[in-house]
Amino acid sequence: MATILVVEDEKPINDLITMNLRLVGHQFFKAFSGMEVPPILEREKIDLILLDVMLPELDGFELMRRIRSLNIPVIFITAKDSLADRITGFELGADDYIIKPFEILEMLARINVVLRRSTKEQSALIIDDVEIRTLERQVYKLGCAVELTAREFELLDVLIQNRNIALSREKLLELAWGYDYEGETRTVDVHIRQLRKKLGWEERIKTVFKLGYRLEVPGEP
């Protein structure tokens, strides 16, 4: 997974973001002002920056001007939702722009997209005897290819990216099937059973409170 720098001066928001980054397996560093960022970038390898715009000492736009030559992907997270501000952010080189308030799952999904685009995200994940090659959309068990449908892979990818977070059937449909899905929500159960059978993960994908699903990965908190 990735190492992410969260630059947010509001401690509760900073803590909420980093708590959820930890849940899905990312490492992180925290900064509460723009001036704290350059020293962190000098000593640490950062894969992505979540950057608030309205920061003390040095605002996010000015900070972006100073660090964009480093070519580190940046997602602005801010309450400034005017078109002019969004245009400024993208012109400075931002990869995405998230408006407060936001849903944590949306933030995680946007992080995954940016990481993939920058090709800095780990392209293969090994869980027990299963290897998932996310960029190639291929899965192997004990070295043998596992045939998954496009929908099964999308569902598996969503479960992995949000592991240790309970997702309702409705949220899984939204993330894996798309916003326009109008079918029966129980189709999720069918695909979960198929994944369990194909990957031998009867105990890996668990139902939480009979409402949501999560993927539990060995060795992670």
Side-chain angles (χ1 to χ4, degrees):
M1 303 303 285
T3 300
I4 299 174
L5 174 59
V6 180
V7 190
E8 166 62 62
D9 63 317
E10 296 184 48
K11 188 176 185 302
I13 297 178
N14 200 314
D15 290 344
L16 177 64
I17 292 173
T18 53
M19 177 186 71
N20 282 277
L21 291 178
R22 179 187 292 113
L23 281 174
V24 298
H26 293 303
Q27 296 180 321
F28 60 84
F29 292 91
K30 294 183 179 184
F32 297 93
S33 72
M35 296 301 293
E36 295 178 36
V37 173
I40 295 175
L41 297 182
E42 287 180 6
R43 67 175 186 266
E44 305 293 345
K45 182 182 181 301
I46 301 298
D47 298 312
L48 172 69
I49 301 174
L50 300 180
L51 180 59
D52 190 13
V53 172
M54 295 180 286
L55 293 168
E57 301 176 357
L58 184 66
D59 69 41
F61 288 154
E62 181 57 33
L63 176 62
M64 184 68 182
R65 291 185 180 96
R66 298 188 186 188
I67 67 173
R68 61 181 172 182
S69 62
L70 300 176
N71 294 320
I72 301 173
V74 172
I75 298 177
F76 277 117
I77 298 181
T78 178
K80 295 170 72 69
D81 62 351
S82 71
L83 177 60
D85 287 324
R86 292 199 297 273
I87 291 174
T88 298
F90 286 123
E91 287 181 341
L92 288 172
D95 293 81
D96 205 346
Y97 204 105
I98 302 176
I99 305 300
K100 299 176 184 176
F102 54 86
E103 288 192 16
I104 287 296
L105 288 177
E106 178 188 0
M107 180 199 72
L108 294 174
R110 288 175 179 265
I111 287 172
N112 292 334
V113 169
V114 171
L115 287 171
R116 284 191 183 126
R117 189 186 303 149
S118 69
T119 68
K120 290 185 178 180
E121 184 185 27
Q122 181 178 330
S123 60
L125 176 68
I126 297 177
I127 303 175
D128 289 353
D129 55 5
V130 175
E131 178 184 1
I132 302 106
R133 299 181 183 177
T134 55
L135 295 180
E136 301 169 21
R137 296 178 65 84
Q138 295 177 341
V139 179
Y140 296 86
K141 182 176 178 65
L142 295 173
C144 298
V146 178
E147 295 296 329
L148 297 183
T149 65
R151 190 63 69 202
E152 288 169 350
F153 188 90
E154 292 294 338
L155 181 59
L156 175 62
D157 190 43
V158 168
L159 287 168
I160 289 172
Q161 299 300 340
N162 297 280
R163 56 188 179 275
N164 299 326
I165 295 178
L167 299 175
S168 66
R169 293 188 184 93
E170 290 77 11
K171 181 56 68 174
L172 281 171
L173 286 172
E174 178 183 312
L175 294 174
W177 271 254
Y179 288 92
D180 58 350
Y181 182 80
E182 298 180 353
E184 170 58 50
T185 60
R186 291 286 176 174
T187 190
V188 171
D189 299 41
V190 175
H191 283 77
I192 289 290
R193 286 197 295 270
Q194 290 172 338
L195 281 175
R196 283 174 166 168
K197 182 177 180 181
K198 290 183 177 182
L199 302 178
W201 280 2
E202 285 77 7
E203 297 301 321
R204 278 287 172 260
I205 302 173
K206 295 190 176 184
T207 305
V208 181
F209 301 133
K210 299 183 180 179
L211 294 175
Y213 293 92
R214 69 182 177 195
L215 174 64
E216 295 188 349
V217 180
E220 294 201 350

